């Protein structure tokens, strides 16, 4: 049976295929930006904060944009806008702290400034300028000195700065303004409007709590130190040939991040103490305990970081000696890492850690195992050859870690008592 070949001329009798045009969406970069930020929790918080500041600025600008409101406040609307720009911070506690500092500083500075201006006007003549100069010097110098006191500088530095600014503005302008009391009252009212807008948006519209950030940050450090311990163990006991083939496990970066956390902790604790009751954190929550636990974690990170010296060739034990104690040492490191994770998990779930039932007995068994490693049968001949010095240094560092973890366990247990953690079920 023959085959028939049908010849189709090029370009004839064939309908042209229409290519689909790619539609370019101008908003695509914006959509991809928000998708990226959604996967990044902290990045999404930055976006939310930026939007909240924009909304607050729009609301406070209505004092200028709407004629009925502008007739009421006039040019003093500028002070409301300045207040929003200055006091709206990332965390709700920081906004509340700065707003209250600004309010107290404005009231005290304005009140004393009005009294000084009224007294100067009562004196009259050239004595008026002398009274104003003396008042500016005394109150300005006293407030500036108070800003150098550590406790005041930490909590009320911004309030003292606003006091100096407001007092000088009121008392100096009182020399030229006849109705200084009315001017101070109008400015204070617009500052209060700006403060109210900031507090409303910061606390009620997707609030970003410093207490949550502090809580999560502290918990993550327990995991960081556990990973650092496991990373060191893996690097210390791996074979020499394996070290040549693959890069070493970097266990130092997590420890360094823990060591640099002090300033962040102090700042977040200061903001968290200003925040109202929300979620799982009530009034009088023991935030100061977080500072003590953070300090203990930094001490522990220092000890873990010192283990880096055991990896130096001059201090490292022979391959045979390391392999002989590999199994018990890895079990000890695993127990210490478990202890850290258990303490962090108890804080995360806000439950009592049950140290007497589980953690303390495990730490005691770890201490006993370490004492068994430092026996003459293990290190006796090697110490004479200086082969066991590196291993002895490792064991002593692990002993020190056990002591610090026992202290850390006590602090976490006290946090559970003071913070009202629920019983372990």
């Amino acid at each position: 049976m023959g085959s028939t070949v049908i010849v189709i001329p090029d370009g004839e009798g064939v309908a042209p295929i229409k290519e689909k045009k790619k539609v370019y969406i101008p908003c695509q970069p914006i959509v991809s930006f928000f998708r990226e930020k959604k996967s990044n929790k902290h990045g999404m918080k930055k976006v939310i904060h930026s939007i909240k500041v924009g909304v607050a600025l729009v609301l406070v600008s209505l004092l200028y944009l709407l004629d009925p409101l502008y007739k009421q406040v006039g040019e003093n609307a500028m002070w409301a806008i300045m207040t929003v720009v200055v006091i709206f911070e990332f965390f709700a506690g920081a906004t509340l702290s700065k707003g209250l500092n600004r309010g107290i500083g404005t009231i005290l500075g304005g009140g004393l400034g009005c009294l000084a201006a009224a007294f100067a006007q009562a004196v009259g003549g050239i004595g008026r300028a002398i009274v104003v100069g003396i008042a500016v010097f005394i109150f300005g110098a006293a407030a500036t000195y108070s800003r150098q006191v550590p406790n005041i500088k930490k909590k009320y530095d911004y309030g003292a700065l606003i006091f100096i600014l407001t007092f000088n503005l009121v008392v100096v302008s009182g020399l030229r303004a006849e109705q200084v009391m009315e001017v101070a009252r109008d400015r204070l009212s617009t500052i209060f409007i700006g403060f109210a807008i900031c507090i409303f948006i910061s606390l009620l519209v997707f609030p970003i709590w410093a207490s949550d950030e502090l809580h999560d940050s502290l918990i993550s450090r327990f995991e960081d130190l556990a990973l650092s311990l496991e990373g060191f163990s893996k690097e210390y006991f791996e074979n020499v040939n394996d070290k040549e083939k693959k890069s070493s496990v970097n266990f130092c970066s997590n420890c360094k991040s823990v060591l640099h956390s002090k300033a962040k902790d102090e700042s977040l604790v200061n903001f968290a103490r200003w925040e109202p009751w929300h979620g799982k954190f009530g009034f009088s929550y023991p935030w100061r305990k977080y500072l003590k636990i953070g300090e203990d974690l930094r001490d522990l990170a220092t000890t873990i970081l010192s283990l880096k010296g055991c990896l130096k060739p001059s201090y490292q034990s022979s391959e045979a000696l390391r392999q002989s104690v590999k199994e018990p040492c890895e079990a000890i490191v695993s127990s210490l890492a478990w202890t850290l994770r258990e303490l962090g998990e108890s804080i995360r779930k806000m439950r009592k850690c049950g140290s007497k039932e589980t953690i303390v007995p495990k730490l005691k068994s770890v201490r006993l195992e370490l004492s068994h490693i430092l026996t003459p049968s293990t290190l006796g001949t090697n110490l004479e050859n200086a082969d066991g010095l590196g291993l002895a240094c490792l064991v002593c560092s692990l002993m020190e870690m056990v002591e610090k973890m026992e202290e850390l366990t006590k602090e976490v247990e006290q946090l559970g008592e003071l913070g009202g953690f629920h019983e372990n079920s």
Side-chain angles (χ1 to χ4, degrees):
M1 187 173 180
S3 60
T4 305
V5 178
I6 301 175
V7 180
I8 300 176
D10 294 340
E12 295 181 9
V14 180
I17 300 173
K18 295 182 178 180
E19 293 184 359
K20 293 183 180 180
K21 295 182 178 181
K22 294 183 179 180
V23 181
Y24 178 73
I25 303 175
C27 298
Q28 190 65 30
I30 300 176
V31 174
S32 61
F33 172 78
F34 277 101
R35 284 178 179 173
E36 180 182 350
K37 292 298 180 183
K38 189 175 181 180
S39 60
N40 185 358
K41 187 177 179 181
H42 188 69
M44 196 61 192
K45 286 182 179 180
K46 292 180 180 178
V47 174
I48 292 173
H49 172 68
S50 303
I51 294 173
K52 286 164 65 176
V53 172
V55 172
L57 289 173
V58 170
L59 291 177
V60 78
S61 297
L62 295 178
L63 296 175
Y64 265 112
L65 300 176
L66 300 180
D67 291 336
L69 294 178
Y70 183 76
K71 290 178 181 179
Q72 293 292 327
V73 298
E75 293 295 332
N76 288 318
M78 169 188 63
W79 293 93
I81 297 176
M82 288 175 58
T83 300
V84 172
V85 172
V86 169
I87 75 170
F88 208 124
E89 295 288 341
F90 186 79
F91 295 111
T95 302
L96 188 59
S97 169
K98 214 168 185 182
L100 292 175
N101 269 277
R102 183 176 178 84
I104 294 171
T106 301
I107 292 173
L108 290 178
L112 291 175
C114 289
L115 291 176
F119 180 70
Q121 288 179 354
V123 172
I126 193 173
R128 183 171 63 173
I130 296 174
V131 170
V132 169
I134 293 174
V136 167
F137 172 78
I138 293 175
F139 285 100
T144 302
Y145 179 80
S146 68
R147 293 182 64 195
Q148 301 176 53
V149 178
N151 289 333
I152 295 178
K153 185 176 182 62
K154 185 182 295 185
K155 299 178 182 178
Y156 309 110
D157 181 67
Y158 182 69
L161 177 65
I162 294 300
F163 170 83
I164 297 172
L165 174 64
T166 306
F167 178 82
N168 282 273
L169 286 176
V170 171
V171 74
V172 173
S173 62
L175 288 173
R176 306 296 180 183
E178 296 180 357
Q179 298 176 335
V180 64
M181 294 293 292
E182 293 183 6
V183 173
R185 182 195 62 195
D186 293 339
R187 288 182 181 179
L188 183 62
S189 62
T190 53
I191 289 174
F192 177 78
I193 292 172
F195 171 71
I197 290 174
C198 289
I199 295 302
F200 175 80
I201 295 178
S202 181
L203 296 184
L204 301 180
V205 180
F206 298 105
I208 302 173
W209 303 110
S211 51
D212 290 341
E213 179 71 18
L214 175 62
H215 192 72
D216 295 340
S217 174
L218 185 73
I219 294 167
S220 66
R221 272 171 258 166
F222 284 91
E223 179 66 22
D224 288 343
L225 293 183
L227 291 174
S228 296
L229 268 175
E230 292 172 343
F232 166 78
S233 176
K234 183 178 180 181
E235 186 170 353
Y236 185 80
F237 290 107
E238 67 185 357
N239 293 328
V240 177
N241 296 330
D242 293 338
K243 287 184 180 180
E244 296 175 353
K245 294 178 182 178
K246 58 183 179 180
S247 59
S248 299
V249 179
N250 186 9
F251 67 93
C252 299
S253 58
N254 289 335
C255 290
K256 290 178 180 178
S257 67
V258 173
L259 289 175
H260 298 155
S261 62
K262 182 177 181 180
K264 180 182 178 181
D265 284 354
E266 291 178 348
S267 177
L268 289 175
V269 166
N270 189 29
F271 297 151
R273 294 173 66 184
W274 287 92
E275 292 177 350
W277 190 332
H278 65 279
K280 52 194 175 183
F281 305 115
F283 293 116
S284 302
Y285 189 79
W287 294 117
R288 303 294 300 180
K289 270 295 172 186
Y290 280 64
L291 293 179
K292 185 63 176 71
I293 293 175
E295 184 180 343
D296 290 343
L297 288 174
R298 284 188 289 274
D299 288 343
L300 187 59
T302 304
T303 306
I304 296 175
L305 202 59
S306 68
L307 293 174
K308 191 176 180 181
C310 298
L311 299 175
K312 294 181 179 180
S314 56
Y315 292 100
Q316 206 165 31
S317 304
S318 64
E319 181 69 21
L321 182 58
R322 277 184 287 141
Q323 292 300 321
S324 66
V325 296
K326 177 180 179 181
E327 186 174 345
C329 283
E330 285 184 340
I332 289 170
V333 169
S334 178
S335 298
L336 295 177
W338 175 89
T339 302
L340 284 169
R341 290 191 174 100
E342 181 66 19
L343 293 174
E345 191 70 8
S346 68
I347 297 177
R348 185 179 71 84
K349 294 183 177 180
M350 299 189 75
R351 60 170 171 78
K352 294 182 179 179
C353 59
S355 58
K356 295 180 180 178
E357 295 80 12
T358 56
I359 296 178
V360 172
K362 183 174 283 291
L363 291 177
K364 287 182 178 179
S365 65
V366 167
R367 189 189 293 272
L368 187 62
E369 290 176 14
L370 286 171
S371 63
H372 289 162
I373 294 176
L374 287 176
T375 55
S377 60
T378 306
L379 299 177
T381 57
N382 294 290
L383 281 175
E384 295 176 359
N385 301 324
D387 191 23
L389 288 177
L391 183 60
C393 180
L394 169 65
V395 173
C396 291
S397 296
L398 292 176
M399 282 280 197
E400 186 179 355
M401 280 186 217
V402 173
E403 294 177 0
K404 291 183 177 180
M405 283 194 188
E406 288 174 346
E407 182 65 26
L408 181 62
T409 302
K410 293 178 182 178
E411 294 297 333
V412 174
E413 188 176 10
Q414 290 178 11
L415 175 63
E417 295 291 337
L418 296 174
F421 288 7
H422 61 80
E423 294 290 340
N424 189 9
S425 56

